[in-house]
Amino acid sequence: MANKRMYIVSGGMIHCDLANMVCMPALGTAKENQVQSIWAKSPVTCMIIENEDGLVLYDTGCHPEAMTVRWDEGNRLRTPVEIGEREGILAALKTLGYRTDDVTHIVLSHLHEDHAGCIEFFDKAEILVSDRELTGTMRLYALHGDMGGYIKNDIKAWLDKEVCWSLVDDEEEERELLDGIKIINFGPGHTFGMMGLLVTLKESGNFLLVSDCVNTAANYGPPIRFPGLAYDTIGYQKTVERIRRLERKYHAKVLFGHDIGQYSQLKFVPEYYD
Ligand SMILES: [Zn+2]
């Protein structure tokens, strides 16, 4: 068993319209046709996996300066994030006694602001992303249109730092990254190309990290509920069905992208799962 420990990192709290996470959270009726948006808290997380052959991250959270210089005003208003001094991937690595250069691999679920915000700090690591996701993101950037959850300053930093991308294409449904760490390539759904991670631990068993393939337990259902932001709804549905099959096959615990109820049950750095 090559994984030693998995740490969960708290990356702060996004405050946003719940409709971002679950489509139509409050429906109007004939009696009440002026429904208000529900302003809710959504936790941000990422993971550190200590393996005998490397130090692996699954996602990186938001950039530490998201709310000052990094994000456009639109992103700061739509999804303001609050990051405590001891939160975020950089603080977590420091707490555990690691340098950023110790990270060997980063697997990215997708390239949105709250998942890929810190890539530039890891220019020695191999950064694994879906080919479709990188292609779709760079196309948006080139067309100068609405970037949605993608951040221009993040992309500029990736290009400036010449980070070391490693692409996972459509043909590859799964990839054994290291012993006990398997990338699951989910394809289009929430965004152009989503990836999950299956992590096997000796004591704690299997974890299936699915990020925003399933934002919350409400999305998982059954029945499945779409998020407010979905690039491909049929792909989204197929992905959730695949996650259910994997959950059964591996007796895995599924960790959602932004579920506040699940978040309150987890252990965070410096505690760990082994
Ligand atoms: Zn997210």
Side-chain angles (χ1 to χ4, degrees):
M1 201 70 63
N3 288 325
K4 292 186 280 189
R5 291 173 175 180
M6 180 176 82
Y7 295 91
I8 302 180
V9 178
S10 175
M13 201 62 80
I14 281 179
H15 298 250
C16 67
D17 190 325
L18 187 60
N20 283 284
M21 300 294 160
V22 185
C23 200
M24 299 186 293
L27 276 179
T29 64
K31 264 192 180 167
E32 200 184 333
N33 58 13
Q34 301 287 318
V35 176
Q36 299 244 317
S37 68
I38 302 169
W39 195 248
K41 285 186 194 173
S42 300
V44 175
T45 54
C46 60
M47 285 77 182
I48 302 170
I49 302 141
E50 286 176 348
N51 182 286
E52 281 163 14
D53 298 317
L55 187 66
V56 179
L57 307 186
Y58 180 65
D59 284 344
T60 64
C62 307
H63 190 275
E65 294 182 325
M67 292 301 289
T68 51
V69 294
R70 185 72 165 203
W71 291 2
D72 298 342
E73 196 191 2
N75 296 80
R76 296 200 301 266
L77 289 172
R78 269 197 305 272
T79 54
V81 64
E82 220 181 329
I83 309 171
E85 244 172 57
R86 297 166 72 175
E87 290 184 303
I89 188 63
L90 300 177
L93 288 169
K94 209 170 175 186
T95 301
L96 298 176
Y98 286 116
R99 295 165 305 140
T100 50
D101 285 357
D102 295 330
V103 174
T104 56
H105 304 81
I106 302 179
V107 178
L108 293 167
S109 61
H110 61 306
L111 294 173
H112 273 172
E113 57 195 2
D114 50 331
H115 300 267
C118 292
I119 301 175
E120 78 219 49
F121 299 110
F122 302 95
D123 50 1
K124 300 274 192 298
E126 178 181 346
I127 298 180
L128 295 111
V129 67
S130 143
D131 191 341
R132 277 175 182 263
E133 181 69 9
L134 186 65
T135 305
T137 305
M138 296 316 286
R139 184 174 179 278
L140 276 184
Y141 182 66
L143 293 175
H144 311 292
D146 179 6
M147 300 286 291
Y150 301 98
I151 303 290
K152 285 186 188 131
N153 285 333
D154 284 352
I155 297 171
K156 282 180 196 160
W158 308 337
L159 296 173
D160 280 353
K161 290 283 171 90
E162 298 182 10
V163 298
C164 175
W165 298 108
S166 174
L167 302 182
V168 179
D169 68 30
D170 287 356
E171 308 303 313
E172 218 175 344
E173 290 204 340
E174 294 184 353
R175 182 190 289 189
E176 183 97 21
L177 182 65
L178 297 174
D179 189 14
I181 305 180
K182 192 185 276 185
I183 295 172
I184 313 288
N185 187 8
F186 287 116
H190 170 57
T191 64
F192 307 109
M194 300 289 297
M195 299 207 309
L197 207 64
L198 182 69
V199 180
T200 300
L201 294 163
K202 199 174 174 193
E203 293 296 323
S204 311
N206 292 322
F207 283 87
L208 186 56
L209 314 179
V210 302
S211 175
D212 298 3
C213 293
V214 186
N215 284 326
T216 68
N219 299 91
Y220 203 38
I224 293 168
R225 289 185 65 188
F226 295 116
L229 304 169
Y231 167 73
D232 173 350
T233 48
I234 294 172
Y236 187 89
Q237 188 147 346
K238 281 187 180 160
T239 295
V240 176
E241 284 160 4
R242 190 167 161 206
I243 290 169
R244 279 195 196 292
R245 290 197 298 277
L246 291 166
E247 180 186 21
R248 281 196 297 270
K249 180 175 173 186
Y250 293 102
H251 305 286
K253 172 136 182 78
V254 179
L255 295 189
F256 305 129
H258 298 285
D259 189 292
I260 191 126
Q262 185 177 60
Y263 177 85
S264 68
Q265 309 286 319
L266 299 174
K267 290 190 278 193
F268 292 94
V269 171
E271 289 186 80
Y272 55 84
Y273 296 85
D274 61 2

